[in-house]
Amino acid sequence: MARELWKGNIAIAEAAVRAGLEAYFGYPITPQTELLEYLSMRMPELGRVFVQAESELGAINMVYGAACTGVRVMTSSSSPGISLMMEGLSYIAGTEVPVVLVDVMRGGPGLGNIAPAQGDYNQIVHGGGHGDYRPIVLAPSNIQEAIDLTMLAFDLAEAYRAIAVVLLDGSLGQMMEPAEMPPLRPLKSTYPDWAVRGAIGRERRVLSSIYLDPPLEEEANLRILRRWQQVEANEVRYKGYYLEDARFVVVGFGTAGRVALSAVRAARAEGIRVGLLRPITVSPFPSRVLRELADQVEGFLVVEMNTGQMLEDVLRAVEGRAPVEFFARLGGVMPLPEEVLDEIKRMASTPLSVDGHPRERWLQRMLQPA
Amino acid sequence: MTLADMETLVYARPASLTEMPTHYCPGCTHGVAHRLIAEVIDEMNLRERTIGVASVGCSVFAYNYFDFDWVQAPHGRAPAMATGIKRVLPDRLVITYQGDGDMASIGMGEVVHAAARGENITVFFINNANYGMTGGQMAPTTLPGQKTTTSPHGRDVETQGYPVRAAELISTLEGASYVVRRSLHDPKNIRLAKKAIRLALETQVRGLGFSMVELLSICPTNWGMTPVQSLKWLEEHMIPYFPLGDYKVHPAVAEIKV
């Protein structure tokens, strides 16, 4: 199939349709609204369900209900709207029904702004909803990847009865790129043995997140944890660039990773042996490969569009075996390749410190420009 | 002819109810409401096609007592969950069973918009003028002057506002086709409540839009009264504030003969 120009939000919407999305529920919020708008036309055209909910609370609970019937369901939102969905997400996790969520992140906290940011990392990856669960989180850095990961999200959510999140920032939602859309998959015709669809000729089924008896809740927590271990064992995804001979490795996801790649290429052109590790699954986090790299490289540079949320996961993986530096732009300001290149050059030309926290050193550098 | 052959069964547990004894307090009218709904679903032969959405509150375990498929919603969100289910499975009967704290307080947004959309679901709204499950706190339906654990001197409307008349409020919405209030305090009213439940489910089966039956109920434990005193209190205090009646009957629903 030919490559066509697709806008990020619309590409994700169409990819979901092609993946067999049967019901979508959403609410307008910039910068993800095109997703909702596109599906308001596309879903009814195919005889599928589209409802504009009264709020993100409504949307996520409509998703919850529809997911209980065993069909493929999705909602999408942006940071403040995702906060509102956390209650529902926790219930969905506790009920162990598959759901796909798209978070097109914007600047925050609070109302923030509508510019691209990565401040929802902790809320999404380390769980904003109450209780003990982990979502699968996929972070594309271009439109083709957004399409492919949206398709994958449905498969993973179903395979592990989990929440699969496509986590991107507003710039990816808004930008256009050539990409290839996969063919339309047929809708499901069989449903899992837990699906609530009416007790026609069978025993009744109940789907719930309530386990009033603590030992039963403990059992449920363990069941979810064991399923997560399978996810960790089978589903870690990342992309490495120029890692073979790298003295330094930049780590960044999504748009930050993409900007970092430009910087890495520029540094290579200047003869600095630097590579990039771009986590595609930020949950499960590619800790093992980072640990392996830690024994081979002179240092890491974590680049994010937040104050160092993934940085903590990198530090945990590296376990102090190599110096880690940090660079970020915040509040909807995009990092520039030149800024990242300067950081790479600084690392290549000055001794690296392991004193204190990388975030502290970054703040110090910002206060005292070279 | 044995004695058993001569016996005629005149009263049995509806097929739509399970054998499980309920956790409801003695005298509580949840049991009556459950039975009426189960009887109507049996009579309409819809047990296998029904999906219930339980709420948070005393009726959180409703799914243990009805013998059909259920899901369990977060507090107040049952009409949104029901929307998701009904849109995917439009030929199933989808009901919610919600208390006053659940539907008329934390879940007001969800129920109002489900009704506004004309969502083809049925809401059973149990109004017992307090939060029962958590031990009798003030609800949006607590009467002026009524003592609860969070209105210990009686609900002061100056600081705690006025009770919400949910049926009247919902009835103003175009998408609502059948909205009535009934009471469970005596046999006559229980019979009328059953008729309303039937009409609400007929509304849904015929695709006529949103239906809601508000059922005035008692909470002897938290009200600190005997069941008999409670029934009397409902009649004397609740009905004057929450008048029984039909608040919205769409002409197409009015034509239904059952």
Side-chain angles (χ1 to χ4, degrees):
Chain A
M1 204 168 283
R3 273 152 62 91
E4 301 163 296
L5 265 184
W6 285 96
K7 182 172 184 165
N9 284 333
I10 293 171
I12 289 172
E14 180 60 25
V17 167
R18 308 253 174 138
L21 177 69
E22 250 177 273
Y24 172 90
F25 308 89
Y27 186 82
I29 183 169
T30 309
Q32 68 80 48
T33 304
E34 296 84 359
L35 222 157
L36 172 87
E37 288 173 335
Y38 181 82
L39 289 173
S40 74
M41 173 275 297
R42 187 72 168 124
M43 294 295 275
E45 174 180 286
L46 293 167
R48 304 184 190 177
V49 175
F50 170 91
V51 178
Q52 179 171 329
E54 64 275 14
S55 67
E56 287 88 351
L57 278 178
I60 194 66
N61 283 287
M62 291 175 194
V63 161
Y64 184 17
C68 288
T69 70
V71 300
R72 292 193 153 187
V73 295
M74 182 176 88
T75 187
S76 58
S77 188
S78 177
S79 311
I82 299 291
S83 297
L84 276 171
M85 291 183 177
M86 282 298 158
E87 175 200 52
L89 289 170
S90 171
Y91 279 74
I92 287 164
T95 309
E96 300 165 60
V97 288
V99 158
V100 171
L101 169 72
V102 180
D103 179 5
V104 187
M105 292 180 283
R106 59 188 245 182
L111 210 44
N113 57 39
I114 56 172
Q118 296 182 326
D120 294 6
Y121 181 91
N122 274 344
Q123 168 163 255
I124 294 292
V125 170
H126 295 302
H130 61 280
D132 232 323
Y133 71 95
R134 291 159 184 81
I136 297 165
V137 186
L138 307 166
S141 74
N142 58 57
I143 307 303
Q144 185 64 58
E145 209 172 42
I147 292 167
D148 297 342
L149 293 181
T150 300
M151 303 283 288
L152 177 68
F154 284 95
D155 294 340
L156 294 181
E158 261 174 18
Y160 297 101
R161 293 183 64 170
I163 297 163
V165 184
V166 181
L167 183 69
L168 61 157
D169 66 75
S171 68
L172 279 169
Q174 296 296 321
M175 74 164 65
M176 287 184 96
E177 272 185 337
E180 189 179 323
M181 196 60 72
L184 193 69
R185 286 194 207 162
L187 293 182
K188 288 167 70 166
S189 54
T190 57
Y191 304 96
D193 59 8
W194 48 259
V196 159
R197 301 176 63 87
I200 300 169
R202 59 158 169 79
E203 290 289 299
R204 74 200 179 98
R205 291 175 187 158
V206 175
L207 281 175
S208 163
S209 64
I210 192 171
Y211 298 94
L212 214 56
D213 188 16
L216 293 180
E217 180 70 78
E218 185 178 49
E219 200 176 292
N221 283 184
L222 284 171
R223 183 170 62 245
I224 293 169
L225 177 62
R226 288 198 190 99
R227 217 178 274 136
W228 182 252
Q229 287 181 311
Q230 294 299 307
V231 174
E232 283 186 318
N234 302 326
E235 306 301 346
V236 172
R237 287 169 169 80
Y238 57 87
K239 199 158 178 192
Y241 306 79
Y242 313 110
L243 290 178
E244 302 73 28
D245 63 344
R247 288 172 57 205
F248 304 99
V249 171
V250 184
V251 188
F253 74 95
T255 295
R258 180 180 176 138
V259 170
L261 180 59
S262 299
V264 164
R265 287 188 172 134
R268 282 266 165 189
E270 295 187 26
I272 303 172
R273 284 188 285 119
V274 57
L276 172 72
L277 184 88
R278 184 166 62 77
I280 290 171
T281 53
V282 282
S283 173
F285 196 68
S287 300
R288 183 177 300 168
V289 64
L290 276 165
R291 203 152 35 228
E292 287 165 7
L293 286 167
D295 293 330
Q296 301 162 24
V297 302
E298 293 171 38
F300 292 94
L301 172 66
V302 177
V303 178
E304 293 187 80
M305 289 151 66
N306 60 48
T307 59
Q309 298 185 17
M310 186 185 72
L311 171 64
E312 301 293 344
D313 290 329
V314 173
L315 289 171
R316 205 152 34 184
V318 170
E319 291 175 328
R321 295 186 207 184
V324 177
E325 291 291 331
F326 178 62
F327 178 77
R329 295 307 303 263
L330 311 172
V333 180
M334 306 266 290
L336 296 172
E338 298 75 40
E339 293 171 324
V340 180
L341 177 62
D342 285 347
E343 289 295 317
I344 294 169
K345 284 184 184 169
R346 186 184 59 75
M347 288 177 70
S349 60
T350 50
L352 292 176
S353 168
V354 286
D355 294 336
H357 195 283
R359 188 187 293 112
E360 293 297 328
R361 293 197 295 274
W362 164 64
L363 283 171
Q364 285 302 319
R365 286 199 302 280
M366 284 215 303
L367 292 172
Q368 300 160 338
Chain B
M1 187 177 279
T2 67
L3 193 61
D5 292 332
M6 291 189 294
E7 284 176 351
T8 311
L9 188 67
V10 294
Y11 195 77
R13 186 181 282 267
S16 291
L17 285 184
T18 65
E19 295 289 331
M20 181 179 274
T22 77
H23 73 289
Y24 299 120
C25 302
C28 171
T29 38
H30 267 307
V32 178
H34 279 26
R35 182 175 175 102
L36 295 182
I37 293 166
E39 283 181 355
V40 171
I41 289 173
D42 279 7
E43 287 163 16
M44 294 173 76
N45 199 25
L46 288 172
R47 187 187 70 80
E48 292 190 333
R49 306 191 74 79
T50 301
I51 299 171
V53 184
S55 62
V56 173
C58 286
S59 56
V60 69
F61 296 119
Y63 53 76
N64 284 329
Y65 311 136
F66 288 96
D67 194 9
F68 45 80
D69 275 9
W70 280 84
V71 298
Q72 166 65 55
H75 200 18
R77 319 288 175 231
M81 264 192 108
T83 297
I85 295 167
K86 185 72 180 186
R87 292 289 182 121
V88 173
L89 300 170
D91 66 339
R92 301 298 197 272
L93 187 76
V94 180
I95 63 169
T96 75
Y97 188 101
Q98 303 175 256
D100 37 25
D102 190 89
M103 195 205 82
S105 189
I106 196 168
M108 193 56 112
E110 284 74 15
V111 74
V112 164
H113 284 278
R117 285 191 303 268
E119 213 60 66
N120 206 25
I121 60 171
T122 303
V123 171
F124 296 113
F125 171 47
I126 308 296
N127 176 355
N128 63 7
N130 78 155
Y131 282 82
M133 182 68 132
T134 44
Q137 291 76 33
M138 185 182 71
T141 46
T142 293
L143 297 180
Q146 185 185 339
K147 286 185 180 173
T148 69
T149 61
T150 51
S151 55
H153 307 297
R155 181 175 191 158
D156 177 0
V157 296
E158 293 296 324
T159 57
Q160 297 175 303
Y162 292 87
V164 172
R165 293 185 180 98
E168 286 88 330
L169 192 154
I170 301 285
S171 71
T172 64
L173 299 164
E174 211 59 45
S177 288
Y178 184 69
V179 181
V180 302
R181 182 182 291 119
R182 298 289 185 265
S183 175
L184 301 174
H185 72 283
D186 66 21
K188 178 190 166 213
N189 279 284
I190 289 171
R191 276 197 297 278
L192 292 172
K194 183 173 173 183
K195 278 187 185 164
I197 291 167
R198 176 69 187 249
L199 216 46
L201 296 184
E202 293 283 353
T203 300
Q204 182 179 162
V205 166
R206 289 155 203 246
L208 295 173
F210 183 87
S211 51
M212 181 178 94
V213 180
E214 175 173 345
L215 296 168
L216 299 186
S217 297
I218 60 167
C219 187
T221 300
N222 289 313
W223 291 359
M225 299 178 198
T226 67
V228 172
Q229 287 169 336
S230 299
L231 293 168
K232 204 168 167 53
W233 192 88
L234 184 162
E235 187 177 10
E236 289 176 357
H237 295 89
M238 286 183 75
I239 292 178
Y241 201 96
F242 298 111
L244 306 182
D246 297 353
Y247 290 95
K248 178 78 175 282
V249 182
H250 190 279
V253 177
E255 285 173 19
I256 296 173
K257 298 278 181 287
V258 293

